[in-house]
Amino acid sequence: MGRGWAIAVHGGAGVDPNIPSQRLEEAKKLLARCLNLGISALNSSMSAIDVVELVVRELETDPMFNSGRGSALTEKGTVEMEASIMDGPKRRCGAVSGLTTVKNPISLARLVMDKSPHSYLAFSGAEEFARQQGVELVENDYFITEENLGMLKLAKEANAIVFDYRIPVVGLGLETCSAGAGAMESTLQMNGLPLSVYAPETVGCVVVDDQGRCAAATSTGGLLNKMSGRIGDSPLIGSGTYACDVCAVSCTGEGEAIIRGTLARDVAAVMEYKGLPLQEAVDYVIKERLDEGKAGMIAVSSTGEVAYGFNCTGMFRGCATQDGFMEVGIWE
Amino acid sequence: MGWAIALHGGAGDIPLSLPPERREPREAALRHCLQVGVEALKAQRTPLDVVELVVRELENHPNFNAGRGSVLTTKGSVEMEACIMDNTKRCGAVSGLSTVVNAISLARLVMEKTPHIYLAFDGAEAFAKEQGVETVDASKFITPENIERLKQAKEANRVQIDYTQPNQTDPTKEKPTADGGGQIGTVGCVAVDGKGNSATATSTGGLVNKMVGRIGDTPVIGAGTYANSYCAVSATGKGESIIRATVARDVAALMEYKGLSLKEAAAYVVEECTPKGTCGLVAVSATGEVTMPFNTTGMFRACATEDGYSEIAIWPPSTQK
């Protein structure tokens, strides 16, 4: 038996300090809505693995963050989505990459875990599995939003400027893009791009249910303007997602840095092997395992705690515990 | 403290009754690849160069499950993956390759020539073309031995369905395979120089009869491949089990967080963290130690250290012929 349920959701680490207040409000509303969805499910004794899938589906379906509809675009202007899910009790896991028509990648990742002999399927093989399983499929342009098309254009222009002159992007008609309004004052970068142009905004959810079972789920469209075929941390068990008997973790930020730091596994490893409690483990990993990289994470422990940490400017997040605590936040 | 190197040609249910005509070419290949690696270390090549060099040799050898000689997907095709990492935690990985002669070299190019770590399928093949690496027609990787293995695997599946065997819903139970051929997986190499710099490289065709698009542990950093300032690790066996147990990362984590020695950490991960019959690994520490534990019937392996020790083996020491 656990010590009460706990849940955390995130919509990405690395937030433009000049983000327009309207977008901030919309993001907070979405986080609160998803948190409440999870809370209702937990109060009706839904299992952790079902809750994380439910909540991430909601985040994928909403076009606000970088997953499912609203995914960041590849350099070709298409969407390639990836996701992973892990069930703490037996550390079963499922992951997918390179999805182009699957409406809810996290649900396909779950099917890989439950209905295939494997842990990870990608690209056309994953799409074929999706067809066999009868999941909801749509055309690739369903996932593409006007805003993301605009951001891709900015990213391509910014790449040329950022890498050549390392000055803030000025005078590119950024006023037309809601995320770009404050770009001229912002020189903060992640993944080699100004945060005003591209913020990671991967989504995720971690839950411990009232039986003490932990689960984690992460979903993303990946890096804006990425090479087709590029895989980030989100579908990699141990990097972007991890769950075991003691905790569940979902990460977001600079994918390559998260992979090098095997961030999600390391939180559990310092708990198991160094005996650190949850928040200290999260703080330790953020401080010690990221080197130059920028990232954030949410985590829950089997004993009903919730924690988060990030070393960049802000992380869209929400947390709640069974005793009534609930919080939605963006900055420190 | 001196240099050390270890390499493997796959862990699995390698029967003790393996006939000489199947055993000897593999032993000879291990001997040859070990020599290639040792000479490179003696010539002061970096561990990163050494592991890439050795794995290229193993990929080119048709009797191991990597490059030419890769096992086949359920559609009879080859989908190769590989991963390389050094103690600075720079890394590169590729999956879903069908025409690239040396997957490990493409993984290295991803690490050195892109801002990314991992490229897969069409995108990886396109990158290979841009980089001008050697490619051949996909059919060139297919060997008669693997066509036969696929046939047997498909027949075994049919029998299991007839007897209504469970379809792997319980991850703690691993099915034994007919002749073990299906479990032989992956090649890898780890090396450390006399100054604590280390590297690891792993390459594979994956699992016999795997679903198209299936990715295993090899290219998942922390699962089949990992290196940091403590050690370098390359794992082999049943990918799904190795991913779940984050095998390669855990060896290093046990050394760092619990102060275990390389041997203790590796033995613990193989014996306690993965089901019997699913995992083997080779690892070197920054201080020049080497270890090659496995919980399968056998693991094709070889190692050498600067003080003159060397070993080539297949089965556990007590059963070695």
Side-chain angles (χ1 to χ4, degrees), chain A residues 298-312:
Chain A
I298 52 173
V300 290
S301 71
S302 59
T303 53
E305 302 157 287
V306 66
Y308 61 83
F310 52 93
N311 69 351
C312 41

Side-chain angles (χ1 to χ4, degrees), chain A residues 193-212:
Chain A
L193 287 169
L195 270 178
S196 51
V197 172
Y198 167 69
E201 293 185 359
T202 293
V203 303
C205 180
V206 292
V207 162
V208 55
D209 61 27
D210 58 15
Q211 305 288 310

Side-chain angles (χ1 to χ4, degrees), chain A residues 242-254:
Chain A
Y242 190 76
C244 61
D245 283 332
V246 303
C247 66
V249 185
S250 170
C251 302
T252 161
E254 294 184 316

Side-chain angles (χ1 to χ4, degrees), chain B residues 1-236:
Chain B
M1 218 171 107
W3 56 254
I5 180 172
L7 57 106
H8 68 76
D13 193 17
I14 307 165
L16 288 162
S17 54
L18 191 70
E21 65 270 18
R22 291 173 62 115
R23 175 171 51 84
E24 281 160 8
R26 289 175 171 89
E27 278 173 346
L30 291 171
R31 193 168 297 117
H32 167 74
C33 292
L34 185 66
Q35 196 180 356
V36 164
V38 167
E39 268 157 31
L41 280 166
K42 285 181 173 165
Q44 317 267 31
R45 299 283 300 271
T46 64
L48 197 60
D49 283 346
V50 173
V51 299
E52 184 192 358
L53 193 62
V54 170
V55 169
R56 283 176 67 96
E57 287 292 320
L58 289 161
E59 284 171 338
N60 294 342
H61 200 286
N63 279 344
F64 294 119
N65 176 13
R68 187 148 180 273
S70 283
V71 298
L72 308 181
T73 70
T74 195
K75 297 229 164 100
S77 57
V78 163
E79 284 178 1
M80 300 170 285
E81 47 198 17
C83 182
I84 193 164
M85 190 164 186
D86 72 16
N87 61 287
T88 66
K89 295 197 281 186
R90 288 187 314 154
C91 44
V94 287
S95 281
L97 300 181
S98 50
T99 68
V100 175
V101 173
N102 289 104
I104 196 62
S105 295
L106 193 70
R108 183 157 181 189
L109 287 168
V110 172
M111 177 175 85
E112 291 177 340
K113 299 278 165 70
T114 77
H116 302 319
I117 284 176
Y118 192 2
L119 288 180
F121 291 89
D122 290 351
E125 289 272 325
F127 178 65
K129 274 194 193 47
E130 272 171 46
Q131 293 292 314
V133 300
E134 194 184 352
T135 57
V136 294
D137 187 82
S139 59
K140 294 279 202 293
F141 299 97
I142 299 174
T143 59
E145 207 172 70
N146 278 304
I147 293 175
E148 182 56 33
R149 278 208 185 98
L150 179 63
K151 183 161 167 286
Q152 286 178 12
K154 284 179 181 282
E155 280 162 8
N157 268 340
R158 258 204 310 281
V159 170
Q160 275 164 3
I161 288 166
D162 285 348
Y163 293 142
T164 59
Q165 294 277 337
N167 184 20
Q168 300 235 22
T169 47
D170 184 346
T172 58
K173 286 205 189 75
E174 298 297 338
K175 290 197 297 267
T177 52
D179 73 327
Q183 289 282 40
I184 290 179
T186 313
V187 302
C189 181
V190 292
V192 59
D193 63 21
K195 301 180 220 107
N197 302 309
S198 69
T200 171
T202 317
S203 179
T204 189
L207 205 56
V208 179
N209 201 22
K210 66 183 178 180
M211 289 171 72
V212 169
R214 175 264 191 185
I215 292 175
D217 63 291
T218 294
V220 179
I221 301 288
T225 310
Y226 186 77
N228 68 5
S229 57
Y230 285 81
C231 63
V233 183
S234 170
T236 162

Side-chain angles (χ1 to χ4, degrees), chain A residues 120 122 229 260 265-266 289, chain B residues 89 118 120 213 215 249-250 257:
Chain A
Y120 191 5
R260 270 193 288 277
R265 170 57 184 141
D266 268 47
R289 291 282 91 93
Chain B
K89 295 197 281 186
Y118 192 2
I215 292 175
R249 174 65 187 117
D250 269 39
Y257 300 140

